Amino acid sequence: MANKTSGDNRTRSSFSIFIVVGLCGFFYLLGAWQRSGFGKGDSIAMEITKSGADCAVLSNLNFETHHGGEIKTGDSSINTKVFEPCKAKYTDYTPCQDQKRAMMFPRDNMVYRERHCPPEEEKMHCLIPAPKGYVTPFSWPKSRDYVPFANAPYKALTVEKAIQNWIQYEGNVFRFPGGGTQFPQGADKYIDQLASVIPMKNGTVRTALDTGCGVASLGAYLWSRNVIAMSFAPRDSHEAQVQFALERGVPAVIGVLGTIRMPYPSNAFDMAHCSRCLIPWGGNAGMYMMEVDRVLRPGGYWVLSGPPINYQNNYISWQRPKEDLKKEYDNIVKVAKLLCWEKIHQKGEIGVWQKSQDADSCRSKLEESQATVCKSNPDEVWYQKMETCITPFPSDGAGDQLKPFPERLYAVPPRIASGSVPGISVDAYLKDNSMWKKHVKAYKRINSVLDTGRYRNIMDMNAGLGGFAAAIYSSKSWVMNVMPTIAKKNTLGVIYERGLVGIYHDWCEGFSTYPRTYDLIHANGVFSLYKNKCNLEDILIEMDRILRPEGAVIIRDEVDVLVKVKKIVSGMRWDTRMVDHEDGPLVPEKILVAVKQYWTVDGGNTTSNQ
């Protein structure tokens, strides 16, 4: 190595070498250079060394949970900003669903329950503390049925939903019996009824959307059928319901059907479900059913249980006028016909419709009915208003040639096979899969507990084609694949075709979830993507908010970006180490691995004025 740096290379500055070979490669070359007598380490190398760069095995990073102990601090580098804890009242702060801010907006069409993010001058720059007594949730599948009381200490649902068997308080835990308003015999029995009509057993139905999910018992029990549900509910008087869902280890976000499109791509879900979700399906000229139709793939299923299904026999027990229920039901039937949904099943209070697979036949029906067809891009959803129009069938047949799951996970998605994703060929897709298998293999060498069930709720902040989620796939975990709204290529539809779930999001804003809801966060190129778009500090504070104490972070990016990130997080109570790319120190892309330290509201300074 020393001989290779002689000659013309001998005159290069150590800074140039740092830029060319990356951080850990820099130390290697620097050592060889000094041993051969050419030059000495300069001030840049000294500063990087002080920042704690380490290319060795991460033996000093503890990925296991231990709870308690003294509150540690990050690296005490000169000029490093130290982030103070927020006040205790902010333990469940959700920036874009803040209750006080929500009350400033109209209540019509649930506008006040939609996303309303704080302006720049109101953003909080403190760290959200965990509540007193916080513990790591139980491992799956125990977490499906039990949640530590200290993690979400709200008993309102145990009173309001007592007779519906949603949730029970027992000592220091909440117990979830699997009940619900529409499934008093339990979610499992309810799903058995659905599975008698909807093909869940053979992998045809893999992805589901649960609107107004409650505590997401449907999603929790669908998991054993190899069906993954994206559940959502608003933050309202039952404020802990989505928090409970995530504590249980079930995919969920804070959300509502109001005036804005749902943050999901078109033709994505195999099934959509509503069990007494209180959404006025027949109102607003069928706009909400049209929005469900947008995200439901051809051949997909829509399940509606509860009012107004079988209103003739239930209007008395529902304490609602029969005429009102009939009108509501007739409107639903009318819109379903307009959407080319066929009612295939009704038993008791459960109705099941199937979206047409015959695009030509459906279009002819739409023409006959003179229905309004949407002109806008069905995948442009971020803060886009819902419309009373019908999303046309995909011209490339996307979604109607899907393989059953799990074959679907690595099969070529129809959107890619048809060439409808510009710039991504079948060959590029296959290479991406191979690359992520190699990356995840390297991650498992760094973090030996990665695939043991230690991490249940995983987030990929810049999901691309879903390669990371596919490579890390396990029955013990799930991945929230986030598609940044500023990403060069919109590939979220591809991710759904693989049998995975995800959501659109702009990382300049807060994510629609409660604090401490993810065990592991993966960020590939996120900080390079958002460079000059918004403050990197804000993104890191948001990552800290949604990461559990003792949760892990894997950040893959260019070395110069990671050096900036590492300096910021050194004041955030994260333990970090930088490691080389798995292909060696000459690759400028590096990996920053971090573990969030355990600390709670009662464990230290919580006197911030934020």
Side-chain angles (χ1 to χ4, degrees):
M1 180 63 73
N3 292 335
K4 291 181 181 179
T5 60
S6 58
D8 294 336
N9 292 340
R10 189 180 305 172
T11 59
R12 292 183 180 179
S13 70
S14 57
F15 178 75
S16 298
I17 297 174
F18 171 75
I19 294 298
V20 172
V21 304
L23 186 63
C24 295
F26 172 79
F27 291 125
Y28 185 88
L29 286 179
L30 179 62
W33 201 11
Q34 289 175 327
R35 287 192 297 272
S36 64
F38 297 113
K40 296 181 178 180
D42 56 15
S43 59
I44 295 175
M46 293 298 292
E47 286 301 314
I48 299 299
T49 302
K50 288 179 182 178
S51 73
D54 187 358
C55 308
V57 177
L58 307 186
S59 58
N60 61 329
L61 279 190
N62 187 356
F63 296 106
E64 298 284 0
T65 59
H66 48 83
H67 304 310
E70 294 298 321
I71 295 180
K72 304 175 185 178
T73 57
D75 296 338
S76 56
S77 304
I78 298 175
N79 298 326
T80 295
K81 178 179 177 179
V82 176
F83 295 87
E84 297 295 330
C86 305
K87 289 183 178 180
K89 66 180 181 180
Y90 292 110
T91 55
D92 289 327
Y93 178 65
T94 56
C96 299
Q97 281 86 15
D98 180 63
Q99 296 287 66
K100 291 183 179 179
R101 186 175 296 107
M103 299 312 294
M104 299 166 56
F105 293 88
R107 295 195 171 218
D108 296 344
N109 293 321
M110 299 291 282
V111 169
Y112 75 120
R113 295 297 184 201
E114 294 182 318
R115 287 175 58 86
H116 302 291
C117 301
E120 191 67 34
E121 63 272 14
E122 293 181 17
K123 287 184 178 180
M124 295 176 61
H125 294 276
C126 53
L127 305 181
I128 302 295
K132 182 178 180 179
Y134 178 88
V135 295
T136 299
F138 300 112
S139 298
W140 185 268
K142 184 177 180 180
S143 66
R144 184 193 69 180
D145 303 324
Y146 296 96
V147 164
F149 172 75
N151 291 12
Y154 306 109
K155 296 182 182 179
L157 281 175
T158 65
V159 177
E160 294 180 36
K161 303 295 182 181
I163 63 172
Q164 296 166 8
N165 219 22
W166 276 28
I167 178 175
Q168 297 173 0
Y169 175 59
E170 299 178 355
N172 63 348
V173 299
F174 288 110
R175 186 169 75 88
F176 296 84
T181 310
Q182 282 304 124
F183 26 96
Q185 293 181 310
D188 237 3
K189 294 291 185 182
Y190 176 82
I191 294 170
D192 282 341
Q193 297 180 58
L194 300 184
S196 68
V197 182
I198 299 172
M200 299 181 188
K201 294 180 180 179
N202 62 4
T204 299
V205 169
R206 161 64 179 174
T207 58
L209 178 69
D210 191 13
T211 56
C213 65
V215 294
S217 285
L218 180 85
Y221 281 84
L222 279 173
W223 189 265
S224 63
R225 317 291 177 111
N226 218 10
V227 176
I228 183 169
M230 172 67 78
S231 303
F232 72 83
R235 178 166 185 164
D236 54 14
S237 58
H238 305 151
E239 64 176 358
Q241 54 189 346
V242 166
Q243 190 173 14
F244 279 133
L246 287 153
E247 285 293 316
R248 298 174 73 183
V250 181
V253 292
I254 302 172
V256 66
L257 269 174
T259 63
I260 304 298
R261 282 180 169 180
M262 292 186 288
Y264 312 113
S266 61
N267 308 298
F269 292 96
D270 302 321
M271 180 175 81
H273 173 267
C274 162
S275 172
R276 286 207 183 192
C277 59
L278 305 180
I279 295 172
W281 294 114
N284 290 339
M287 183 171 68
Y288 297 137
M289 290 178 67
M290 292 174 181
E291 176 63 1
V292 170
D293 180 74
R294 181 185 68 82
V295 301
L296 197 62
R297 72 173 178 86
Y301 301 86
W302 185 57
V303 179
L304 176 62
S305 65
I309 303 299
N310 198 13
Y311 67 89
Q312 300 92 334
N313 297 317
N314 294 297
Y315 71 94
I316 295 177
S317 61
W318 290 337
Q319 299 180 348
R320 291 184 57 187
K322 185 177 181 180
E323 296 74 18
D324 290 353
L325 288 165
K326 181 182 185 303
K327 182 179 179 181
E328 185 179 336
Y329 180 77
D330 289 345
N331 284 339
I332 289 173
V333 171
K334 180 181 177 180
V335 177
K337 184 177 180 180
L338 194 66
L339 296 170
C340 298
W341 293 2
E342 179 186 357
K343 191 175 185 181
I344 62 172
H345 176 79
Q346 180 174 319
K347 185 176 181 180
E349 298 174 15
I350 300 175
V352 180
W353 282 260
Q354 184 176 20
K355 183 175 177 177
S356 174
Q357 289 179 308
D358 188 341
D360 293 332
S361 173
C362 186
R363 287 194 182 98
S364 66
K365 291 179 182 177
L366 294 180
E367 290 171 2
E368 290 172 9
S369 66
Q370 297 182 335
T372 301
V373 177
C374 301
K375 304 296 184 183
S376 58
N377 184 338
D379 292 333
E380 288 185 1
V381 303
W382 194 243
Y383 290 122
Q384 296 298 310
K385 292 285 186 180
M386 277 188 277
E387 303 174 89
T388 52
C389 59
I390 299 172
T391 302
F393 271 72
S395 58
D396 55 15
D400 61 358
Q401 303 169 10
L402 291 177
K403 302 288 186 182
F405 194 85
E407 185 182 352
R408 185 190 303 190
L409 189 61
Y410 278 106
V412 177
R415 280 173 168 88
I416 290 179
S418 65
S420 61
V421 183
I424 300 180
S425 63
V426 171
D427 187 56
Y429 167 76
L430 296 176
K431 287 181 179 177
D432 185 78
N433 285 336
S434 297
M435 178 186 71
W436 280 108
K437 286 179 180 178
K438 184 173 71 171
H439 287 343
V440 169
K441 186 177 180 180
Y443 293 161
K444 290 178 179 179
R445 288 197 299 268
I446 296 170
N447 184 345
S448 61
V449 300
L450 197 60
D451 58 355
T452 63
R454 162 73 178 85
Y455 307 114
R456 170 68 180 173
N457 302 355
I458 301 175
M459 172 180 282
D460 190 359
M461 295 177 66
N462 186 17
L465 296 173
F468 168 77
I472 207 170
Y473 170 73
S474 166
S475 61
K476 302 173 184 176
S477 63
W478 60 273
V479 178
M480 178 67 78
N481 291 282
V482 180
M483 178 62 52
T485 57
I486 65 171
K488 293 181 180 179
K489 298 184 187 299
N490 180 0
T491 53
L492 193 53
V494 169
I495 289 171
Y496 274 90
E497 289 182 340
R498 302 186 72 167
L500 305 168
V501 295
I503 193 169
Y504 292 107
H505 182 65
D506 181 358
W507 285 112
C508 291
E509 299 180 359
F511 193 74
S512 292
T513 192
Y514 286 83
R516 304 170 301 281
T517 47
Y518 287 90
D519 307 301
L520 172 68
I521 297 178
H522 178 252
N524 173 45
V526 170
F527 295 96
S528 289
L529 179 66
Y530 278 92
K531 188 162 46 177
N532 303 322
K533 300 292 191 305
C534 54
N535 194 334
L536 300 189
E537 178 182 299
D538 290 342
I539 299 176
L540 286 163
I541 290 175
E542 178 63 5
M543 290 172 67
D544 182 83
R545 186 186 73 87
I546 67 178
L547 183 67
R548 295 192 191 280
E550 299 183 311
V553 176
I554 302 173
I555 304 175
R556 179 181 288 269
D557 219 313
E558 297 295 317
V559 66
D560 58 332
V561 175
L562 290 185
V563 169
K564 295 177 183 177
V565 169
K566 192 175 190 301
K567 182 175 181 180
I568 296 173
V569 301
S570 65
M572 288 175 54
R573 308 187 187 204
W574 289 15
D575 296 321
T576 63
R577 283 294 180 269
M578 194 99 73
V579 299
D580 280 320
H581 189 283
E582 59 268 19
D583 289 341
L586 298 184
V587 180
E589 183 180 81
K590 304 295 175 186
I591 304 166
L592 182 67
V593 184
V595 176
K596 179 179 175 178
Q597 296 164 8
Y598 177 87
W599 61 280
T600 66
V601 70
D602 61 328
N605 178 17
T606 57
T607 60
S608 170
N609 292 322
Q610 291 286 345

